[in-house]
Amino acid sequence: MTTLPDIKPITSDIHPAIEDMIDMPELLPNDQLPPFEGDRVIQYREALREAMSEEMRRDKRVFLLGEEVAEYNGAYKVSQGMLDEFGPERIIDTPISENGFAGMSIAAAMSGLRPIVEFMSWSFSFVAADPILNNAPKMLYMSGGQFGCPIVFRGNDGAGGQLASTHSWCVEALYANVPGLKMAIPSNPYDAKGLLKTAIRDPDPVFFLESERMLGDRAHVPEEEYYIPFGQARLAREGDAITLVSFGRPVNFCLQAAEKLAEEGIEVDVLDMRTIRPLDIDSIIERVKITNKILVVDQSWPFASIASEVVTQICERCFDWLDAPPARLNTVDVPTPYAKDLEYDYLPNPDRIYEAVKQQVGAQ
Amino acid sequence: MTQAPAQSSKASDMTDKSDYDHTPPTTEQKLEWLRVMQLIREFENRTMQAYQQAKIGGFCHIYTGQEACAVGTIGSVNHDDPVVTAYRDHGHALARGMTPEACMAEMFGKIHGCAKGKGGSMHMFDKPNWLFGGHGIVGAQTPLGAGLAFAEKYKLEVLGEGKKKVTLCYLGDGAIDQGAFHEALNYVSVHNIPVIFIIENNGYSMGTAIHRHTANADNLISRGQSYGIDSIEIDGLDIVDLYNEFKPFAERCRETSRPGFVDLKTYRYQGHSMSDPQKYRTKDEVDTYKEKDSIARLLSQLIESGDFSEDDWKALQKDIKAQVKAAMDFAENSPAPEANELYTDVYANPEKNLSPTTEYNHGLNNPLL
C-alpha cells in the first residue's frame, strides 16, 4: 500500500489557500483611525470610488466588473471616471447576466485575481444566488482549503425611492445566514471608504451593502488611506437611556430620532455596527451594561432577521444586565409598497424609532 | 467499428484547422491514453463496489464508457491549462493527474482525500494539477470555466505574467438547458475569452433522453454557433479521432483567444448515479454502445499496428488492478478527519465574532497543497 503522507497542522495566521494573494493591511482600533469629523466633505458614492481607485492603483489584480460600470460611468455614478483612469481591461461592462458574471468573477478570484463585482442593486443578486451562495462562501471548505475566494460583491441594498417590492430588497438577513462570507454595511461616507478598502483586501468573500438613498450623502472623508476593521462598531452617539443598535441606512434614522428624543431629555446610545458578519457583540454588551435597555433597528423583515440574531445573542450573553425585554424594530412585514407615504411607514423610520424608544424607556 | 463518423464538417466554415500544425498522436501518447483510460475503468469498478459496501456515501456518478472524453481532451492541452467540470468528475481528476489514492480517499471521506473528505465524489479539487472542481449544481461550472479563462487572459494582458492558455470546461448534455450556460456562452463570445465548453453528450439528462430535454437535439452545435462561437461535433468514442479533431481546435482557441463549443458524443454504461434503476433505456441500447467501447477500440488499433500485444495488455491490466487495489487500501487506512476539521477552511481570515456559536481555525494542511 502507498504510505500515508504526513498531514501537518496549519500554524500560520494566513491560510495557505490564499498565501500568495493575501496582503492585509494593519488594522487599527477606532481611536487610532483618522478623525471622523473634518472638512473634506464628499459624497458617499465618491468615497466608494476613492476606495476602489486607491486599491486598484495599489494592486493590478483588483478590477471592477458589472452592468454599466464603464462607458456609462456607473448606473449610479459610483464608478464615474474610472474607465478613463484604468481602461477597459480593468473596468468591465457586462451583459445583464448576473448569474454568468458573478460565477465568472468567483473563478477569477479562485485563480488569484481580486474582483469587485457591482450589482446595480442587490435585488438583482437573486438570479445569481447559486454562484454567490453555493460557490463563493463554500469554495475554501469544499476544496479542503485549496481554493480561496477573495471577492467583493457590492451594490445598493434596501428601499431606493418608490421602487416597489422587486427592487427594494434588503438581503442582509437572507445572506448573512451563510457561513463563509462576510458582510459590511456602511452608514456614512467615512465608513464607505474605510470598510470598502478593508473588504477589497480581505481574503474572504465580502458582501458589501450600500444604499441608493445614501449615495448622495455628504460628509467628511479623510484623503489619506485608512482601513476600518471588520467587527468593530462605532458609538455614533452616547446616551444613558437606551442603546440603539443599527446597521447601514437606519443608523441615520436612529440619529434623527435621537435628536428629537434629546429635546425631551432622553439621551440614547446609537451603535453603528458597520459589519453584520462579523458582528461586534462585545461592543453591544459593553453598552447594555451601561444603559440596561436595547432596541435593535433593522431594515430587514422581522422574521429570522438580523435583529432576531442580535436579540438572541444579547439574551445569551448579557440577559442579567437587561432592565426590560430586548426590543426590535424592523421593516413592516409586508412587501415593499410603491406609494410614498406607505413606503415611509414601511421603513424603520425616525418616527417609528422615536415611538419605540419612548415605549422601551417607559418599560421597567 | 460501426460508429458513424462524427459530423464535424458541419462547422467547417468556422473552423479552419489548416492554420495550426497538427501532428497525429505518437505511439507513446496512445499507450499512455490506454493506461489512463483503463485506470479510470478499473477505478470506477472499485468505486461501485465500495459504494455498494457503503464505504462511499452521498451521490456518486460513474464515468465508465466516457473515458476517452476526459483523457483525449485533457491529453490535448498543457498541464497548466485550467480544467473545471461537473459532478461526474473522477475521470477528469485521474486524467488530470490526481492520484487514485487522493481521489478514492476523498470518496471514503478521509483526511488524505483531495479535499480532506469535505467534498466527496462530486467535488474533486486539485490545485497542483489545475483542476478547479468537481461542481455539483448542473451548469454552475460553466460561468466558472469562463472565469478561469478570463483570469488567465487578465494575468497575461494586465499583469504581464503567464502565457496564452485555453481552459477546458466540461458539462453534460443536461447542463446545456441551464441559463447559466447561456450566460457564459454569451459573455465569452462578447469578451473573447478562450474557454472551450465540452459537452459530454451521453444522450441523457439524468433519465431524460436528449430529444425529450433539449430543442434541436440533433444539432447542438447550432447553440454555440448562434453565439458566434466556433463549434464542432466530435465522436467521443474514438480517442485518436478525438485528439486529431480537438487538438487543433484547442490550439486555435488558445491562439486567437476565442471560445469554443464541442458536442462530444459519448455514452455512459452505468446509470446516472449509483441509485439509478435505468428504466428509461434498454439493455440492448447499452450493449450496442459497449460494442463501440473506446478502450477496446484503441487497444485493437495498437495491437493491429503491432505496438502492443495481448500479453502487454494482460500485464497492463494486472498492474492497474494492483494500483487501484493499493488506492483502496490507502483510502481504507487513511484516518477520518478529526472532529476539529469541521471548523476549518471556512474562512481564510477567521476573525472574531463571525459566528455566535462557532470559532473557526485553519486545521490541517491538505497534503495536495
Side-chain angles (χ1 to χ4, degrees):
Chain A
M1 192 200 82
T2 321
T3 321
L4 295 168
D6 287 345
I7 299 183
K8 297 189 178 72
I10 299 168
T11 48
S12 64
D13 291 343
I14 300 164
H15 196 288
I18 42 78
E19 210 157 20
D20 55 343
M21 305 185 197
I22 195 169
D23 53 347
M24 282 294 283
E26 193 187 355
L27 297 175
L28 302 171
N30 277 338
D31 57 7
Q32 292 175 39
L33 288 171
F36 189 78
E37 308 289 343
D39 56 6
R40 184 175 177 268
V41 174
I42 62 172
Q43 289 184 15
Y44 188 104
R45 58 162 62 81
E46 293 169 313
L48 294 170
R49 186 189 310 146
E50 202 161 278
M52 291 193 288
S53 297
E54 285 177 8
E55 293 304 311
M56 286 184 66
R57 282 176 209 128
R58 185 190 53 81
D59 185 350
K60 280 184 143 182
R61 296 171 305 176
V62 182
F63 63 93
L64 172 67
L65 171 149
E67 292 153 4
E68 312 296 354
V69 296
E71 297 205 357
Y72 195 90
N73 271 309
Y76 293 95
K77 302 292 174 256
V78 172
S79 57
Q80 191 160 36
M82 290 180 71
L83 174 65
D84 289 343
E85 179 176 355
F86 299 105
E89 294 82 14
R90 299 180 67 198
I91 307 293
I92 304 168
D93 277 331
T94 67
I96 301 178
S97 299
E98 285 86 358
N99 190 349
F101 69 72
M104 206 197 79
S105 304
I106 287 162
M110 291 168 74
S111 298
L113 302 183
R114 310 297 297 252
I116 306 168
V117 177
E118 178 174 309
F119 289 126
M120 201 183 291
S121 160
W122 276 98
S123 294
F124 308 157
S125 70
F126 299 122
V127 289
D130 182 57
I132 69 173
L133 299 182
N134 245 337
N135 291 339
K138 298 179 184 169
M139 203 58 80
L140 187 67
Y141 200 81
M142 294 252 304
S143 66
Q146 293 187 71
F147 293 103
C149 192
I151 192 168
V152 177
F153 298 104
R154 46 160 289 269
N156 292 313
D157 177 67
Q162 291 190 270
L163 300 180
S165 86
T166 60
H167 281 55
S168 302
W169 272 88
C170 291
V171 298
E172 44 269 50
L174 284 176
Y175 290 162
N177 187 241
V178 181
L181 60 80
K182 297 178 180 177
M183 185 177 281
I185 180 162
S187 73
N188 59 72
Y190 178 100
D191 287 0
K193 176 175 171 180
L195 288 173
L196 184 52
K197 283 174 69 70
T198 307
I200 295 168
R201 296 287 276 271
D202 194 279
D204 291 304
V206 177
F207 286 34
F208 198 85
L209 312 185
E210 301 154 11
S211 158
E212 184 193 330
R213 296 304 294 269
M214 292 195 296
L215 290 175
D217 287 1
R218 295 166 62 83
H220 169 68
V221 174
E223 193 163 10
E224 65 197 279
E225 296 202 34
Y226 59 99
Y227 297 86
I228 300 176
F230 284 4
Q232 177 180 288
R234 182 178 71 91
L235 191 59
R237 186 180 176 112
E238 195 170 341
D240 53 12
I242 188 170
T243 298
L244 305 188
V245 172
S246 196
F247 319 81
R249 187 179 171 212
V251 170
N252 299 297
F253 301 159
C254 291
L255 290 170
Q256 287 170 40
E259 290 288 335
K260 191 175 168 190
L261 289 158
E263 287 167 16
E264 299 174 23
I266 302 170
E267 290 294 343
V268 304
D269 268 356
V270 177
L271 203 49
D272 182 347
M273 296 310 294
R274 287 179 168 159
T275 60
I276 288 173
R277 205 163 176 157
L279 181 79
D280 183 7
I281 187 69
D282 303 323
S283 289
I284 298 176
I285 293 169
E286 198 179 297
R287 295 310 303 173
V288 165
K289 287 181 178 174
I290 293 165
T291 63
N292 310 113
K293 286 185 180 175
I294 190 154
L295 173 68
V296 186
V297 181
D298 174 13
Q299 61 179 347
S300 44
W301 288 308
F303 199 98
S305 64
I306 303 298
S308 316
E309 176 58 35
V310 173
V311 167
T312 303
Q313 291 195 34
I314 289 164
C315 291
E316 288 167 346
R317 303 272 301 268
C318 56
F319 186 81
D320 289 345
W321 289 88
L322 292 168
D323 283 348
R328 62 176 168 183
L329 180 65
N330 288 84
T331 288
V332 176
D333 211 358
V334 298
T336 319
Y338 163 75
K340 197 172 183 178
D341 290 351
L342 286 183
E343 188 191 66
Y344 181 80
D345 293 345
Y346 160 88
L347 292 170
N349 61 51
D351 297 326
R352 289 180 62 208
I353 296 168
Y354 170 87
E355 292 300 330
V357 169
K358 294 276 274 190
Q359 204 173 356
Q360 276 297 102
V361 171
Q364 287 301 333
Chain B
M1 305 301 148
T2 52
Q3 169 90 356
Q7 297 168 305
S8 54
S9 59
K10 264 189 189 171
S12 57
D13 55 327
M14 301 180 73
T15 311
D16 182 2
K17 286 179 297 193
S18 60
D19 295 353
Y20 298 94
D21 290 338
H22 175 63
T23 313
T26 61
T27 303
E28 287 69 35
Q29 278 176 299
K30 291 186 208 173
L31 289 171
E32 175 61 10
W33 294 342
L34 184 71
R35 185 188 71 76
V36 181
M37 289 203 290
Q38 182 60 23
L39 171 64
I40 295 170
R41 180 140 321 170
E42 176 66 19
F43 184 91
E44 294 293 57
N45 287 340
R46 288 290 198 158
T47 300
M48 288 188 279
Q49 277 178 13
Y51 192 90
Q52 277 148 0
Q53 292 164 0
K55 290 180 189 295
I56 297 173
F59 292 140
C60 187
H61 308 82
I62 301 296
Y63 200 60
T64 307
Q66 300 185 199
E67 294 90 345
C69 297
V71 176
T73 50
I74 287 170
S76 299
V77 298
N78 301 326
H79 182 250
D80 57 3
D81 287 323
V83 167
V84 66
T85 185
Y87 43 78
R88 195 180 305 283
D89 58 354
H90 316 158
H92 306 83
L94 296 174
R96 252 288 124 144
M98 184 186 289
T99 62
E101 281 82 359
C103 195
M104 191 58 76
E106 183 58 32
M107 288 196 274
F108 275 49
K110 300 296 186 71
I111 194 69
H112 289 94
C114 64
K116 299 193 286 186
K118 292 179 175 179
S121 163
M122 299 192 286
H123 309 107
M124 296 293 173
F125 289 83
D126 189 345
K127 195 173 193 178
N129 285 315
W130 291 83
L131 176 65
F132 290 77
H135 293 275
I137 302 293
V138 174
Q141 78 281 14
T142 54
L144 297 179
L148 298 173
F150 167 90
E152 295 307 322
K153 187 176 175 177
Y154 186 99
K155 286 176 193 169
L156 187 64
E157 293 181 355
V158 178
L159 306 182
E161 57 191 50
K163 57 183 182 184
K164 281 188 170 179
K165 292 190 182 182
V166 64
T167 295
L168 304 186
C169 177
Y170 296 85
L171 55 151
D173 52 291
I176 65 175
D177 303 332
Q178 280 281 22
F181 178 49
H182 288 259
E183 294 190 18
L185 282 179
N186 182 55
Y187 193 96
V188 298
S189 186
V190 170
H191 287 267
N192 297 313
I193 309 288
V195 55
I196 303 179
F197 294 111
I198 300 169
I199 322 300
E200 293 188 72
N201 178 358
N202 62 26
Y204 291 94
S205 168
M206 199 163 163
T208 307
I210 188 159
H211 290 93
R212 295 176 56 231
H213 77 69
T214 208
N216 216 359
D218 294 325
N219 187 13
L220 289 193
I221 59 170
S222 65
R223 222 162 270 198
Q225 288 165 340
S226 72
Y227 289 98
I229 294 174
D230 288 6
S231 306
I232 54 171
E233 253 177 52
I234 300 179
D235 173 7
L237 298 179
D238 185 320
I239 193 166
V240 176
D241 281 357
L242 192 168
Y243 178 82
N244 287 333
E245 293 279 334
F246 185 77
K247 179 87 188 333
F249 184 81
E251 284 314 305
R252 183 187 167 89
C253 291
R254 183 198 306 280
E255 289 305 320
T256 59
S257 191
R258 283 292 298 165
F261 179 110
V262 178
D263 178 7
L264 188 53
K265 294 188 178 304
T266 185
Y267 199 79
R268 64 168 150 77
Y269 295 170
Q270 303 300 323
H272 165 73
S273 70
M274 286 298 294
S275 57
D276 174 6
Q278 302 181 62
K279 297 232 163 90
Y280 50 85
R281 65 180 184 183
T282 63
K283 189 172 174 301
D284 282 353
E285 180 185 300
V286 180
D287 289 343
T288 310
Y289 276 96
K290 284 187 176 172
E291 284 167 20
K292 305 172 193 170
D293 183 67
S294 57
I295 297 177
R297 194 185 299 201
L298 178 61
L299 177 64
S300 69
Q301 284 173 19
L302 284 164
I303 288 174
E304 273 169 37
S305 63
D307 293 314
F308 208 59
S309 69
E310 288 288 353
D311 286 343
D312 292 337
W313 174 233
K314 279 180 190 148
L316 179 65
Q317 286 177 292
K318 195 177 162 201
D319 283 355
I320 287 171
K321 257 192 198 321
Q323 188 189 359
V324 176
K325 175 70 170 56
M328 305 305 291
D329 293 342
F330 177 93
E332 188 78 62
N333 289 317
S334 171
E338 285 180 21
N340 173 53
E341 276 297 323
L342 188 58
Y343 312 103
T344 72
D345 307 317
V346 181
Y347 289 95
N349 175 23
E351 301 170 275
K352 199 183 172 198
N353 288 331
L354 278 164
S355 165
T357 54
T358 301
E359 264 189 53
Y360 304 106
N361 54 54
H362 285 331
L364 296 179
N365 204 343
N366 185 314
L368 282 172
L369 288 168

